[in-house]
Amino acid sequence: MKINWMAGLTALGLAVCLAEEPKKAAESKVKQGGQPGMVIVKTPDGGLRAPTAEEYQVLTGQGGANLRSTAAPQQEVLGGGKGVRLALDPAVTEVFSVVTKGPDGKLVMQEAVGAKAAERLVKAGAPGKDKQEAAQ
Amino acid sequence: MRKTLLTVLMAAVLLALPAMGAATISIINNDGAGVGLNDPTVVPQVGTNPHTTLGAQRLYALQHAVGVWAAKLDSSVTIVVRASFEPLTCTATAAVLGSAGAIEVFRDFSGASFAGTWYPGALADKLFGSSISPGSDDIRARFNRDLGGANCLPGSPFYLGTDNSIPSGQVDFVAVALHELAHGLGFQTFTNGSTGALFAGFPAVWDHFLFGTSTGLTWSNMTDTQRAASAISLSQLVWNGTSVNSVAGQVLNAGPNFKLTLPASIASNNVDLGIAQFGAPLNTTGVLGEIMPVAAQPASIGNACEPLNATNVLAVNGKIALIDRGGCTFLIKVKNAQNAGAIGVVIANNAAGLLNMTGVDATVTIPSVMISQAAGNALKTALLGRSRTRSGVFARLLLDSTTPAGTDNFGRVKMYAPTTFASGSSVSHFDTTAFPNLLMEPAINVGLTQVVDLPNDLTFRLLKDIGW
């Protein structure tokens, strides 16, 4: 059996930027350096949960909004059964892979859509653990 | 800018050769002389990469990743990837590794499986049977050429070997490239998951398979409001494609299940669980038992927060104890139940959502899980007719191969939908409860194998669902 459910933390699978709920969340961000998209809040009874939207903003300094543009881009009707073409703006629509190094030297990779979101992740800094590490 | 025509043609011809498979993928080397894929810096040979200049090593590793995809995909139309190594955003502790995506999308072309639906260029070409937009590239892929250097995550360069033996502290380039190329091939929605707004008024082909279990609708049939809610619905967002779901059990290990077995009227799977860090790990045999609730005790600070009294001991001895969350740690509750003779514990949450339960105590040896507040309430209703020692309600706590890790009660693979929308991660990746790790989870985890199909991964199967 390959699975290690001790660790059943694998089930949540979220990398852990552990913040205590609820008042210490902001304080924890200062300690951890923030970790957008990969934040978990620890409850007083020993539980781990995802942050609320407000906590997420406090911990990461971002609201998690999708930067993908919904403004109407230029659509071009093609002939010959080719339908409609639309050129994408790569700075807005591309998926960016971002890596951050934590104080323990471990690398954690995350994704962002659009250059601005990726840049925010880079500037936010320190990661937590990936789900495998959290399970050990 | 793309290089000169001559360069482009030479690159396309030369670079396509190693990637020949069921489909042909050409790499357009978009780097200038002396940089990126053309960097002449002499470097030590690494892994199974035979080259000894940085540019050639990069190209070889990229070709390796492209070759993995080319061998799986089926298309009569050459897929063109415009690739480069460029300076991308960096700090000493974080860096953009790379980015990729479709360059164009198409809808309502001949051969499209769904009308009024955006397809990425490479997939549209395959379905159309020839290049819809001749002369245009399909995927743009950029990678950070400064990675590992001063001020750009120093000491953590790309590992350019293709042997999947990544040294600690380095970044597996092949895994990154495989992942990003998958996005470019169509492993993503173009719909705004935060607002639910369709991209330029039409759904992506992805949206026809993204299914909200609470609404019973695919994203293509939801309103903007429903989509936005679905994007943050945790375990209620699944993939509804048969290519993926029919083989999920061949890739994913048995998952945790609180399986109600009797009475038949309530028999069901319950895979939405919080898992305990302490106690016996679940196994495939599991613990089968009758469920009995722990009743409130006088002057208690919380359900099962103190040693159980005689009445509760009589009720839970040899049974699976049902305990409400609140008042003390999960560890204390489980230990008290164990001391009363319980063989397992189910904690019913007292709020929305689920928690994994942490704590360390080697003397706790029974398994425990958390169920949602709603599931707890339903279970309590089923227990209303119990006596002081019997309920007639039985369940098994186990790792269940019929509900693989990362699937829902019906064996559908879950998609990533955390309660806080994460741009780039939410909706367009497999859920992180999948185990073993999958290539297309929101983070590239350890244990990936450079395999994109059975028996190790579901990424290619998902691409088949959308038309590949």
Tab-separated table of all heavy atoms in Angstrom, chain B residues 361-399:
chain	number	residue	atom	x	y	z
B	361	ASP	N	-0.275	11.697	20.012
B	361	ASP	CA	-0.383	10.877	21.215
B	361	ASP	C	-0.310	9.416	20.778
B	361	ASP	O	-1.265	8.855	20.248
B	361	ASP	CB	-1.701	11.154	21.946
B	361	ASP	CG	-1.782	10.393	23.272
B	361	ASP	OD1	-0.983	9.448	23.471
B	361	ASP	OD2	-2.642	10.747	24.106
B	362	ALA	N	0.825	8.827	21.030
B	362	ALA	CA	1.052	7.461	20.564
B	362	ALA	C	0.147	6.457	21.257
B	362	ALA	O	0.007	5.324	20.781
B	362	ALA	CB	2.519	7.091	20.779
B	363	THR	N	-0.464	6.852	22.360
B	363	THR	CA	-1.340	5.906	23.059
B	363	THR	C	-2.728	5.836	22.426
B	363	THR	O	-3.523	4.972	22.788
B	363	THR	CB	-1.490	6.293	24.547
B	363	THR	OG1	-2.217	7.523	24.646
B	363	THR	CG2	-0.133	6.412	25.217
B	364	VAL	N	-3.005	6.734	21.545
B	364	VAL	CA	-4.271	6.647	20.807
B	364	VAL	C	-4.071	5.680	19.649
B	364	VAL	O	-3.220	5.902	18.785
B	364	VAL	CB	-4.712	8.029	20.276
B	364	VAL	CG1	-5.931	7.883	19.381
B	364	VAL	CG2	-5.013	8.958	21.435
B	365	THR	N	-4.840	4.631	19.637
B	365	THR	CA	-4.614	3.565	18.653
B	365	THR	C	-5.828	3.278	17.783
B	365	THR	O	-5.765	2.430	16.895
B	365	THR	CB	-4.207	2.272	19.365
B	365	THR	OG1	-5.235	1.916	20.299
B	365	THR	CG2	-2.878	2.442	20.100
B	366	ILE	N	-6.961	3.907	18.050
B	366	ILE	CA	-8.144	3.656	17.227
B	366	ILE	C	-8.239	4.703	16.125
B	366	ILE	O	-7.758	5.820	16.273
B	366	ILE	CB	-9.444	3.648	18.072
B	366	ILE	CG1	-9.695	5.015	18.727
B	366	ILE	CG2	-9.401	2.530	19.114
B	366	ILE	CD1	-11.039	5.122	19.437
B	367	PRO	N	-8.856	4.362	15.011
B	367	PRO	CA	-8.991	5.333	13.913
B	367	PRO	C	-10.117	6.326	14.181
B	367	PRO	O	-11.068	6.025	14.921
B	367	PRO	CB	-9.330	4.445	12.717
B	367	PRO	CG	-10.037	3.280	13.305
B	367	PRO	CD	-9.396	3.039	14.651
B	368	SER	N	-9.982	7.474	13.596
B	368	SER	CA	-11.038	8.482	13.726
B	368	SER	C	-11.089	9.339	12.472
B	368	SER	O	-10.069	9.524	11.797
B	368	SER	CB	-10.803	9.363	14.958
B	368	SER	OG	-9.529	9.969	14.908
B	369	VAL	N	-12.257	9.847	12.172
B	369	VAL	CA	-12.447	10.756	11.040
B	369	VAL	C	-13.436	11.837	11.442
B	369	VAL	O	-14.172	11.684	12.424
B	369	VAL	CB	-12.995	10.035	9.780
B	369	VAL	CG1	-12.016	8.999	9.261
B	369	VAL	CG2	-14.358	9.436	10.049
B	370	MET	N	-13.435	12.918	10.687
B	370	MET	CA	-14.470	13.939	10.863
B	370	MET	C	-15.419	13.893	9.678
B	370	MET	O	-14.987	13.739	8.536
B	370	MET	CB	-13.864	15.336	10.957
B	370	MET	CG	-14.935	16.433	10.968
B	370	MET	SD	-14.276	18.092	11.061
B	370	MET	CE	-13.974	18.188	12.809
B	371	ILE	N	-16.722	14.029	9.984
B	371	ILE	CA	-17.712	14.174	8.930
B	371	ILE	C	-18.313	15.573	9.017
B	371	ILE	O	-18.153	16.270	10.024
B	371	ILE	CB	-18.822	13.099	9.025
B	371	ILE	CG1	-19.531	13.177	10.374
B	371	ILE	CG2	-18.235	11.716	8.801
B	371	ILE	CD1	-20.710	12.206	10.501
B	372	SER	N	-18.964	15.986	7.986
B	372	SER	CA	-19.514	17.344	7.952
B	372	SER	C	-20.666	17.472	8.937
B	372	SER	O	-21.240	16.477	9.406
B	372	SER	CB	-19.995	17.672	6.545
B	372	SER	OG	-21.155	16.911	6.251
B	373	GLN	N	-21.026	18.685	9.217
B	373	GLN	CA	-22.158	18.946	10.108
B	373	GLN	C	-23.436	18.348	9.520
B	373	GLN	O	-24.239	17.731	10.230
B	373	GLN	CB	-22.316	20.452	10.301
B	373	GLN	CG	-23.364	20.839	11.346
B	373	GLN	CD	-23.358	22.339	11.582
B	373	GLN	OE1	-23.064	23.126	10.672
B	373	GLN	NE2	-23.654	22.742	12.803
B	374	ALA	N	-23.581	18.505	8.212
B	374	ALA	CA	-24.792	17.972	7.579
B	374	ALA	C	-24.817	16.443	7.651
B	374	ALA	O	-25.855	15.837	7.952
B	374	ALA	CB	-24.847	18.424	6.121
B	375	ALA	N	-23.674	15.831	7.407
B	375	ALA	CA	-23.624	14.365	7.483
B	375	ALA	C	-23.853	13.906	8.921
B	375	ALA	O	-24.497	12.877	9.166
B	375	ALA	CB	-22.289	13.862	6.965
B	376	GLY	N	-23.338	14.675	9.865
B	376	GLY	CA	-23.555	14.340	11.269
B	376	GLY	C	-25.015	14.422	11.653
B	376	GLY	O	-25.549	13.552	12.364
B	377	ASN	N	-25.671	15.462	11.176
B	377	ASN	CA	-27.095	15.608	11.486
B	377	ASN	C	-27.911	14.460	10.894
B	377	ASN	O	-28.841	13.945	11.528
B	377	ASN	CB	-27.607	16.947	10.960
B	377	ASN	CG	-27.066	18.115	11.770
B	377	ASN	OD1	-26.657	17.949	12.922
B	377	ASN	ND2	-27.039	19.296	11.165
B	378	ALA	N	-27.549	14.067	9.683
B	378	ALA	CA	-28.263	12.954	9.048
B	378	ALA	C	-28.037	11.657	9.825
B	378	ALA	O	-28.960	10.854	10.016
B	378	ALA	CB	-27.787	12.790	7.603
B	379	LEU	N	-26.823	11.493	10.292
B	379	LEU	CA	-26.509	10.286	11.058
B	379	LEU	C	-27.268	10.281	12.386
B	379	LEU	O	-27.798	9.241	12.820
B	379	LEU	CB	-24.999	10.218	11.289
B	379	LEU	CG	-24.437	8.952	11.927
B	379	LEU	CD1	-24.874	7.701	11.158
B	379	LEU	CD2	-22.916	9.026	11.980
B	380	LYS	N	-27.336	11.416	13.018
B	380	LYS	CA	-28.069	11.500	14.293
B	380	LYS	C	-29.548	11.176	14.092
B	380	LYS	O	-30.179	10.542	14.951
B	380	LYS	CB	-27.909	12.894	14.904
B	380	LYS	CG	-26.506	13.168	15.416
B	380	LYS	CD	-26.359	14.636	15.806
B	380	LYS	CE	-24.906	14.967	16.081
B	380	LYS	NZ	-24.693	16.420	16.280
B	381	THR	N	-30.079	11.599	12.989
B	381	THR	CA	-31.477	11.264	12.688
B	381	THR	C	-31.646	9.755	12.560
B	381	THR	O	-32.624	9.181	13.078
B	381	THR	CB	-31.906	11.950	11.381
B	381	THR	OG1	-31.794	13.359	11.538
B	381	THR	CG2	-33.345	11.603	11.020
B	382	ALA	N	-30.677	9.129	11.916
B	382	ALA	CA	-30.751	7.675	11.744
B	382	ALA	C	-30.606	6.943	13.069
B	382	ALA	O	-31.029	5.792	13.210
B	382	ALA	CB	-29.661	7.215	10.773
B	383	LEU	N	-30.016	7.623	14.054
B	383	LEU	CA	-29.778	6.992	15.356
B	383	LEU	C	-30.901	7.250	16.353
B	383	LEU	O	-30.834	6.778	17.501
B	383	LEU	CB	-28.455	7.515	15.944
B	383	LEU	CG	-27.172	7.170	15.184
B	383	LEU	CD1	-25.974	7.912	15.769
B	383	LEU	CD2	-26.920	5.674	15.202
B	384	LEU	N	-31.910	7.964	15.952
B	384	LEU	CA	-32.962	8.354	16.907
B	384	LEU	C	-33.657	7.153	17.538
B	384	LEU	O	-34.121	7.225	18.682
B	384	LEU	CB	-33.979	9.262	16.209
B	384	LEU	CG	-33.512	10.693	15.923
B	384	LEU	CD1	-34.572	11.455	15.131
B	384	LEU	CD2	-33.182	11.411	17.229
B	385	GLY	N	-33.745	6.068	16.829
B	385	GLY	CA	-34.483	4.908	17.350
B	385	GLY	C	-33.632	3.961	18.171
B	385	GLY	O	-34.069	2.846	18.474
B	386	ARG	N	-32.459	4.401	18.593
B	386	ARG	CA	-31.534	3.492	19.286
B	386	ARG	C	-32.004	3.195	20.713
B	386	ARG	O	-32.789	3.945	21.306
B	386	ARG	CB	-30.143	4.116	19.329
B	386	ARG	CG	-30.060	5.317	20.254
B	386	ARG	CD	-28.722	6.021	20.177
B	386	ARG	NE	-28.628	7.126	21.114
B	386	ARG	CZ	-29.145	8.320	20.921
B	386	ARG	NH1	-29.817	8.582	19.810
B	386	ARG	NH2	-29.017	9.261	21.845
B	387	SER	N	-31.444	2.099	21.260
B	387	SER	CA	-31.599	1.820	22.687
B	387	SER	C	-30.355	2.343	23.405
B	387	SER	O	-29.525	3.024	22.781
B	387	SER	CB	-31.749	0.314	22.903
B	387	SER	OG	-30.528	-0.341	22.620
B	388	ARG	N	-30.171	1.991	24.652
B	388	ARG	CA	-28.975	2.454	25.364
B	388	ARG	C	-27.717	1.748	24.879
B	388	ARG	O	-26.611	2.226	25.098
B	388	ARG	CB	-29.142	2.234	26.873
B	388	ARG	CG	-30.206	3.120	27.471
B	388	ARG	CD	-30.391	2.845	28.944
B	388	ARG	NE	-29.196	3.196	29.720
B	388	ARG	CZ	-29.117	3.046	31.036
B	388	ARG	NH1	-30.140	2.529	31.712
B	388	ARG	NH2	-28.018	3.385	31.668
B	389	THR	N	-27.901	0.610	24.227
B	389	THR	CA	-26.717	-0.154	23.812
B	389	THR	C	-26.706	-0.520	22.334
B	389	THR	O	-25.712	-1.043	21.839
B	389	THR	CB	-26.603	-1.457	24.623
B	389	THR	OG1	-27.812	-2.217	24.427
B	389	THR	CG2	-26.395	-1.170	26.095
B	390	ARG	N	-27.773	-0.299	21.613
B	390	ARG	CA	-27.841	-0.710	20.219
B	390	ARG	C	-28.481	0.391	19.377
B	390	ARG	O	-29.435	1.045	19.803
B	390	ARG	CB	-28.675	-1.987	20.056
B	390	ARG	CG	-28.167	-3.196	20.810
B	390	ARG	CD	-26.786	-3.613	20.276
B	390	ARG	NE	-26.789	-3.889	18.856
B	390	ARG	CZ	-27.109	-5.074	18.310
B	390	ARG	NH1	-27.450	-6.097	19.077
B	390	ARG	NH2	-27.065	-5.236	17.003
B	391	SER	N	-27.968	0.573	18.170
B	391	SER	CA	-28.584	1.527	17.247
B	391	SER	C	-29.054	0.865	15.961
B	391	SER	O	-29.909	1.392	15.265
B	391	SER	CB	-27.581	2.632	16.893
B	391	SER	OG	-26.517	2.107	16.101
B	392	GLY	N	-28.440	-0.258	15.639
B	392	GLY	CA	-28.772	-0.910	14.367
B	392	GLY	C	-28.182	-0.205	13.163
B	392	GLY	O	-28.430	-0.592	12.025
B	393	VAL	N	-27.369	0.820	13.415
B	393	VAL	CA	-26.712	1.545	12.326
B	393	VAL	C	-25.233	1.145	12.314
B	393	VAL	O	-24.524	1.346	13.305
B	393	VAL	CB	-26.849	3.067	12.498
B	393	VAL	CG1	-26.069	3.799	11.414
B	393	VAL	CG2	-28.317	3.467	12.474
B	394	PHE	N	-24.798	0.605	11.205
B	394	PHE	CA	-23.430	0.093	11.119
B	394	PHE	C	-22.666	0.849	10.040
B	394	PHE	O	-23.238	1.289	9.029
B	394	PHE	CB	-23.435	-1.405	10.793
B	394	PHE	CG	-23.834	-2.269	11.968
B	394	PHE	CD1	-25.180	-2.426	12.299
B	394	PHE	CD2	-22.878	-2.906	12.742
B	394	PHE	CE1	-25.552	-3.218	13.379
B	394	PHE	CE2	-23.240	-3.696	13.823
B	394	PHE	CZ	-24.583	-3.856	14.149
B	395	ALA	N	-21.381	0.944	10.285
B	395	ALA	CA	-20.522	1.611	9.304
B	395	ALA	C	-19.138	0.984	9.338
B	395	ALA	O	-18.761	0.310	10.298
B	395	ALA	CB	-20.421	3.102	9.599
B	396	ARG	N	-18.420	1.216	8.258
B	396	ARG	CA	-17.030	0.759	8.197
B	396	ARG	C	-16.152	1.968	7.857
B	396	ARG	O	-16.445	2.714	6.930
B	396	ARG	CB	-16.866	-0.322	7.129
B	396	ARG	CG	-15.484	-0.974	7.131
B	396	ARG	CD	-15.304	-1.922	5.952
B	396	ARG	NE	-16.200	-3.062	5.977
B	396	ARG	CZ	-15.949	-4.214	6.599
B	396	ARG	NH1	-14.829	-4.368	7.265
B	396	ARG	NH2	-16.817	-5.205	6.543
B	397	LEU	N	-15.108	2.127	8.637
B	397	LEU	CA	-14.087	3.133	8.355
B	397	LEU	C	-12.947	2.445	7.630
B	397	LEU	O	-12.302	1.566	8.197
B	397	LEU	CB	-13.552	3.732	9.663
B	397	LEU	CG	-14.413	4.743	10.402
B	397	LEU	CD1	-13.807	5.051	11.766
B	397	LEU	CD2	-14.500	6.012	9.582
B	398	LEU	N	-12.688	2.863	6.412
B	398	LEU	CA	-11.687	2.116	5.659
B	398	LEU	C	-11.071	2.941	4.533
B	398	LEU	O	-11.565	4.031	4.200
B	398	LEU	CB	-12.306	0.857	5.072
B	398	LEU	CG	-13.206	0.988	3.833
B	398	LEU	CD1	-13.371	-0.371	3.178
B	398	LEU	CD2	-14.546	1.616	4.129
B	399	LEU	N	-10.027	2.396	3.961
B	399	LEU	CA	-9.541	2.859	2.660
B	399	LEU	C	-10.225	1.999	1.619
B	399	LEU	O	-10.069	0.780	1.607
B	399	LEU	CB	-8.023	2.704	2.559
B	399	LEU	CG	-7.183	3.640	3.415
B	399	LEU	CD1	-5.696	3.364	3.201
B	399	LEU	CD2	-7.490	5.095	3.087
